[in-house]
């Protein structure tokens, strides 16, 4: 993994930013890798590799500023429509990225970030699935930071997963309602509330999103975290993902602080429940969560030995680029 | 306590040495924090103050800003050629932050602007549901404005646009005029968003679509009834969009806020989102600017 540490100026900037409100959960749509590659005359995969380098920096910046959770949109279900070559290259890149993180976990470099994958596991290739499951398994007890990666993910599929999560629900009257009116006899169903639907989508115990950043200049959410980011501050930036700099990130934090003063954070779905309702909901979620973790453990066991890393591609940055970033704050 | 001795004589205990170093580091960092702390706070305050000055909107001082007459707007819109826009949204969403009842007429004007730009499906949303509660007043305002538009067009010898049939989804009103086409308006509140999806989910389960025998088996089965299409149909029916195949292509958020404010999470998958000034500060020009920006954007769906 790239050895990146914040400079003195960056540390000072994060210290100043911490005087105000900090988003606890930041979601990022990493758009613009291919446009970046085209503009620099690089191959498409090199654009994605440059983007991969930035994603680890953003994680560090987020932690430096006090953010507890970061979710990145690595691969959409719609991206499978791209050419086979590009999809294979992207899967290979994600595998490499997971390898480096696994090595960092094993060498003790990462001890406080738990890693999670959200999305449709069935669409992910077997090798990557096992590798990611291994990383999730190894970091599941790490605290206090969280890094969620959306792979083969769309927001609508996530919402539909919340329904399917309760198929085959065991009979437990304390956590469910008994429906006597069904023509099929007594049915068991969970006590539906907003928090239950929210947690059942990805089973990752995610916080509501406070800020959503989209790079690349497009002004839409592209089916990402539609439920979780419904009251988030949305920050669109015209820079492509590999061009995202520390000052652009701090600008987003600054704008979040301005926005939050105008619009206070709404009460989360969890806080709106009574203690009893929360207890019932957590009990309902136990079953599907256990199924998910068991599935994850099975895939983690099947993971092969971690391969040696090849040298990644890091685009060089000139002083002029840094000055331009600072001036555009 | 561990004592170490060497040729220089007995040394201080190791633990005492280590803790003294840590102590001095802690004291130094405390002094540093004492010195830097106020500077950090000052820097943060100055940054936010400069931003506030830069973004100061004079319209906020005067609640009712000067607005051009409807006739001026009609003339402007009538002179615009639709060919200047590469594309226009078929379904437009208008989202209002901090909405007040006295702003209903302004919303009706914006709907009229959209109608003049050949947008025939309009979703209107405010968090508190005030617009939805005042559906009958909205119907009255829009009807009056449409009649004024037609009168103005004939008075100023402009090309007359045929009046539409007005349809408010989830409400039934008597229409004053019947047109060749329909202007469909969907009024929404926060209850139609996440809460709407939760209630739809509950209904689907209550109908027994997810029924399983309670023998504890947990293998997955493919319940063909509970799929994407079923759920989407149920959600659309709940909010009054069951007749509509398209999600909003463009969403204009009024109120100087960068947030979707809880607007139907299911329906904004690929919606282009534009942030507009407050309702008081918004003009026909800002509306047209948003449409122009939409017409020049590219849509790449994953590929």
């Amino acid at each position: 993994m790239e050895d990146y540490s914040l400079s003195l100026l960056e540390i000072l900037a994060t210290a100043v930013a911490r005087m105000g409100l900090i988003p606890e959960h930041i979601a990022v749509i990493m758009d613009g890798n291919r446009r970046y590659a085209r503009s620099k005359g690089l191959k498409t995969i090199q654009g994605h590799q440059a983007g991969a380098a930035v994603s680890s920096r953003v994680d560090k910046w987020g932690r430096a500023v006090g953010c507890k959770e970061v979710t990145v949109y690595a691969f959409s279900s719609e991206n499978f429509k791209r050419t086979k070559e590009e999809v294979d290259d992207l899967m290979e890149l994600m595998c490499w990225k997971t390898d480096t993180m696994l090595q960092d976990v094993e060498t003790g470099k990462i001890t406080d970030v738990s890693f999670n994958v959200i999305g449709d596991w069935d669409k992910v290739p077997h090798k990557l699935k096992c590798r990611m499951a291994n990383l999730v398994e190894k970091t599941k007890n790490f605290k206090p930071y969280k890094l969620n990666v959306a792979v083969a993910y769309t927001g609508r599929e996530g919402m539909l997963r919340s329904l399917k999560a309760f198929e085959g629900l065991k009979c437990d009257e304390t956590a469910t309602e008994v429906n006597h009116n069904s023509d099929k006899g007594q049915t068991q169903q969970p006590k539906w509330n907003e928090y239950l639907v929210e947690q059942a989508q990805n089973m990752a115990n995610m916080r509501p999103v406070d800020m959503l950043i989209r790079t690349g200049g497009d002004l839409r959410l592209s089916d990402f975290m539609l439920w979780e980011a419904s009251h988030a501050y949305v920050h669109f930036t015209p820079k492509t993902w590999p061009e995202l700099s520390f000052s652009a990130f701090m600008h987003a934090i600054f704008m979040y602080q301005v926005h939050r003063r105008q619009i206070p954070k709404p009460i989360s779905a969890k806080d709106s429940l009574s203690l009893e309702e929360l207890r019932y909901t957590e009990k309902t979620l136990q079953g599907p969560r256990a199924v998910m973790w068991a599935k994850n453990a099975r895939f983690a066991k099947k993971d092969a030995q971690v391969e040696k890393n090849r040298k990644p591609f890091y685009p060089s940055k000139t002083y002029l680029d840094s000055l331009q970033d600072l001036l555009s704050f | 306590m561990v004592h170490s001795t060497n040729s220089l004589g007995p040394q201080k205990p190791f633990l005492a040495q280590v803790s003294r170093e840590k102590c001095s580091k802690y004291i130094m960092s405390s002094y540093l924090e004492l010195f830097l702390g106020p500077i950090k706070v000052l820097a943060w305050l100055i940054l936010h103050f400069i931003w506030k000055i830069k973004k100061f909107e004079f319209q906020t001082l005067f609640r009712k800003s000067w607005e051009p007459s409807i006739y001026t707007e009609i003339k402007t819109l009538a002179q615009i050629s639709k060919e200047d826009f590469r594309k226009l949204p078929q379904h437009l969403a208008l989202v209002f932050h901090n909405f007040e009842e006295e702003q209903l007429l302004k919303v009706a004007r914006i709907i009229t602007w959209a109608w003049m730009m050949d947008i025939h499906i309009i979703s209107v949303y405010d968090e508190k549901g005030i617009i939805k509660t005042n559906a009958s007043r909205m119907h009255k305002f829009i009807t009056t404005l449409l009649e004024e538009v037609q009168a103005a067009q004939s008075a100023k010898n402009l090309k007359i646009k045929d009046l539409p049939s007005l349809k408010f989804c989830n409400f039934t009103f008597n229409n004053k005029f019947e047109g060749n086409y329909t202007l469909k308006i969907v009024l929404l509140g926060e209850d139609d968003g996440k809460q709407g999806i939760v209630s739809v989910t509950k209904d689907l389960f209550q109908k027994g679509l997810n029924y399983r025998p309670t023998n504890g088996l947990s293998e997955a089965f493919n319940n063909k009834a509970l799929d994407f299409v079923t759920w989407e149909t149920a959600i659309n029916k709940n909010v009054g969009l069951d007749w509509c195949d398209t999600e909003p292509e463009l969403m204009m958020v009024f109120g100087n806020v960068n947030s979707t404010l809880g607007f139907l999470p299911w329906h904004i998958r690929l919606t282009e989102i534009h942030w507009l000034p407050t309702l008081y500060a918004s003009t026909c020009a800002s509306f047209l600017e948003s449409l122009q920006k939409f017409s020049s954007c590219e849509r790449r769906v994953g590929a």
Side-chain angles (χ1 to χ4, degrees):
Chain A
M1 201 168 197
E2 183 198 22
D3 280 327
Y4 171 80
S5 54
L6 275 72
S7 65
L8 185 62
L9 206 59
E10 287 169 354
I11 292 169
L12 281 171
T14 53
V16 170
R18 284 172 93 119
M19 296 296 109
L21 293 164
I22 296 296
E24 283 192 0
H25 184 177
I26 298 177
V28 186
I29 301 177
M30 309 185 291
D31 193 24
N33 292 338
R34 292 188 296 175
R35 268 171 281 163
Y36 171 83
R38 272 199 297 273
S39 67
K40 300 283 181 191
L42 302 166
K43 291 181 197 172
T44 308
I45 188 59
Q46 287 178 316
H48 290 302
Q49 284 170 335
V54 173
S55 59
S56 36
R57 288 184 201 181
V58 165
D59 181 44
K60 286 192 176 164
W61 296 337
R63 276 184 276 150
V65 94
C67 171
K68 296 269 170 23
E69 192 166 355
V70 173
T71 303
V72 294
Y73 200 8
F75 195 87
S76 162
S77 297
E78 301 288 334
N79 293 149
F80 282 111
K81 293 176 189 168
R82 294 183 180 179
T83 59
K84 189 177 179 306
E85 194 192 332
E86 191 179 344
V87 172
D88 290 342
D89 285 340
L90 278 166
M91 293 298 155
E92 198 55 45
L93 177 64
M94 281 192 276
C95 221
W96 167 81
K97 190 82 184 166
T98 318
D99 285 347
T100 49
M101 289 187 75
L102 266 169
Q103 285 194 345
D104 286 341
V105 167
E106 275 159 19
T107 53
K109 263 188 185 176
I110 295 177
T111 53
D112 54 357
V113 184
S114 69
F115 183 81
N116 219 323
V117 176
I118 58 173
D120 191 351
W121 278 98
D122 296 332
K123 291 180 184 168
V124 179
H126 184 77
K127 180 185 166 191
L128 178 61
K129 196 167 14 186
C130 296
R131 193 59 50 88
M132 283 184 157
N134 193 8
L135 183 60
V136 169
E137 196 63 26
K138 286 201 161 109
T139 59
K140 68 180 178 188
N141 294 321
F142 287 5
K143 285 175 185 178
Y145 302 106
K146 289 173 100 173
L147 175 61
N148 306 313
V149 178
V151 180
Y153 170 94
T154 61
R156 279 189 179 180
E157 283 173 6
M159 284 188 239
L160 192 59
R161 268 198 298 277
S162 64
L163 259 183
K164 292 191 176 289
F166 300 101
E167 285 170 350
L169 193 74
K170 285 186 184 176
C171 179
D172 184 345
E173 285 193 18
T174 56
T176 60
E177 289 171 343
V178 177
N179 180 15
H180 298 281
N181 296 326
S182 168
D183 53 3
K184 293 179 184 173
Q186 284 188 4
T187 57
Q188 304 298 322
Q189 60 160 319
K191 288 181 182 169
W192 291 103
N193 55 58
E194 201 179 301
Y195 177 64
L196 182 66
V197 174
E198 184 180 285
Q199 290 301 314
Q201 286 180 42
N202 299 307
M203 296 295 179
N205 201 13
M206 284 165 47
R207 295 174 176 82
V209 174
D210 293 314
M211 177 164 77
L212 190 146
I213 301 174
R214 181 177 184 141
T215 58
D218 285 348
L219 305 177
R220 48 185 176 267
L221 302 180
S222 295
D223 213 349
F224 180 58
M225 311 286 269
L226 300 175
W227 181 283
E228 295 86 345
S230 62
H231 282 91
Y233 164 69
V234 181
H235 186 84
F236 295 129
T237 170
K239 288 177 184 274
T240 58
W241 176 245
E243 288 170 339
L244 189 77
S245 60
F246 178 78
S247 56
F249 179 78
M250 291 311 294
H251 180 246
I253 298 287
F254 174 78
M255 293 306 299
Y256 169 81
Q257 290 175 344
V258 168
H259 168 89
R260 268 288 163 250
R261 274 206 321 271
Q262 292 170 351
I263 305 178
K265 207 168 158 176
I267 299 170
S268 67
K270 188 175 182 180
D271 294 334
S272 63
L273 295 176
S274 65
L275 272 171
E276 201 178 316
E277 283 171 332
L278 185 63
R279 201 164 48 86
Y280 286 156
T281 309
E282 291 291 350
K283 201 168 178 182
T284 311
L285 286 166
Q286 267 173 16
R289 275 181 184 154
V291 165
M292 187 208 75
W293 282 112
K295 191 176 168 185
N296 197 71
R298 274 201 312 274
F299 284 122
K301 274 186 189 163
K302 292 178 187 172
D303 187 26
Q305 190 72 19
V306 173
E307 295 161 8
K308 279 186 186 174
N309 292 319
R310 58 175 178 271
K311 201 172 167 169
F313 170 74
Y314 295 120
S316 59
K317 199 167 174 169
T318 63
Y319 284 114
L320 202 61
D321 290 332
S322 306
L323 185 63
Q324 201 173 6
D325 290 337
L326 202 61
L327 288 171
S328 66
F329 180 86
Chain B
M1 272 173 56
V2 176
H3 292 273
S4 62
T5 55
N6 58 20
S7 58
L8 297 172
Q11 286 197 330
K12 286 174 189 167
F14 176 71
L15 283 174
Q17 273 185 335
V18 167
S19 58
R20 189 174 288 180
E21 276 172 22
K22 273 191 181 169
C23 229
S24 56
K25 265 188 187 167
Y26 176 73
I27 291 167
M28 266 190 69
S29 62
S30 306
Y31 275 123
L32 207 62
E33 190 57 39
L34 206 64
F35 175 68
L36 279 179
I39 294 177
K40 281 190 279 184
V41 171
L42 203 61
W44 187 87
L45 284 170
I46 288 170
L47 268 173
H48 282 258
F49 182 70
I50 292 169
W51 177 261
K52 200 114 176 125
I53 298 287
K54 189 182 162 192
K55 276 282 171 182
F56 189 60
E57 283 187 346
F58 287 95
Q59 286 90 346
T60 56
L61 275 179
F62 307 100
R63 296 306 297 279
K64 290 188 179 179
S65 63
W66 177 83
E67 281 188 30
S69 73
I70 186 85
Y71 299 104
T72 317
E73 288 170 355
I74 291 163
K75 199 176 167 188
T76 312
L77 288 165
Q79 283 167 352
I80 288 170
S81 163
K82 306 291 180 297
E83 279 78 35
D84 292 340
F85 295 85
R86 204 158 54 92
K87 61 180 193 289
L88 284 167
Q90 286 184 345
H91 183 174
L92 172 68
L94 303 171
V95 176
F96 301 101
H97 172 58
N98 270 351
F99 186 78
E100 291 162 7
E101 217 172 294
E102 58 197 30
Q103 295 170 312
L104 282 169
L105 185 57
K106 183 71 184 265
V107 173
R109 280 174 85 143
I110 296 173
I111 292 172
T112 316
W113 301 340
W115 166 70
M116 287 201 70
M117 295 303 294
D118 292 342
I119 299 168
H120 297 153
I121 306 171
I122 301 162
S123 297
V124 184
Y125 170 91
D126 75 287
E127 296 156 285
K128 296 169 197 166
I130 296 173
I131 301 175
K132 198 174 174 182
T133 320
N134 289 281
S136 56
R137 284 180 71 194
M138 279 300 298
H139 181 261
K140 191 176 149 192
F141 286 149
I142 294 170
T143 310
T144 313
L145 280 172
L146 289 176
E147 284 175 333
E148 278 185 32
V149 166
Q150 201 179 41
Q153 281 173 334
S154 56
K156 293 195 185 288
N157 294 324
L158 296 168
K159 188 183 167 190
I160 296 172
K161 197 173 154 77
D162 292 330
L163 287 180
S165 300
L166 209 53
K167 181 183 174 185
F168 277 67
C169 307
N170 287 344
F171 296 97
T172 312
F173 298 115
N174 291 327
N175 274 331
K176 222 172 174 180
F177 30 78
E178 293 293 326
N180 298 332
Y181 62 99
T182 314
L183 173 62
K184 291 170 186 161
I185 297 166
V186 188
L187 302 181
L188 302 159
E190 203 172 13
D191 291 342
D192 297 307
K194 287 182 177 178
Q195 276 307 315
I197 294 175
V198 172
S199 64
V200 159
T201 308
K202 196 172 178 180
D203 287 342
L204 284 176
F205 266 76
Q206 274 180 346
K207 282 175 187 166
L209 289 174
N210 202 35
Y211 173 69
R212 288 290 315 250
T214 54
N215 55 5
L217 289 176
S218 62
E219 72 268 13
F221 76 87
N222 191 13
N223 186 344
K224 290 197 187 315
L226 194 63
D227 61 357
F228 188 89
V229 174
T230 311
W231 209 30
E232 188 175 38
T233 311
I235 291 171
N236 284 341
K237 195 173 177 185
N238 187 54
V239 299
L241 279 168
D242 43 333
W243 44 268
C244 185
D245 287 335
T246 62
E247 60 181 39
E249 287 160 291
L250 172 62
M251 181 199 289
M252 295 183 187
V253 182
F254 293 85
N256 239 351
V257 291
N258 289 31
S259 175
T260 56
L261 301 172
F263 182 87
L264 314 181
W266 186 265
H267 294 86
I268 51 171
R269 197 171 61 102
L270 298 172
T271 306
E272 180 95 353
I273 305 171
H274 291 178
W275 319 118
L276 268 72
T278 57
L279 203 45
Y280 287 113
S282 295
T283 58
C284 193
S286 52
F287 176 80
L288 287 171
E289 201 183 309
S290 175
L291 287 182
Q292 188 64 49
K293 204 160 70 166
F294 172 80
S295 79
S296 55
C297 78
E298 277 178 33
R299 283 190 121 185
R300 295 177 304 276
V301 187

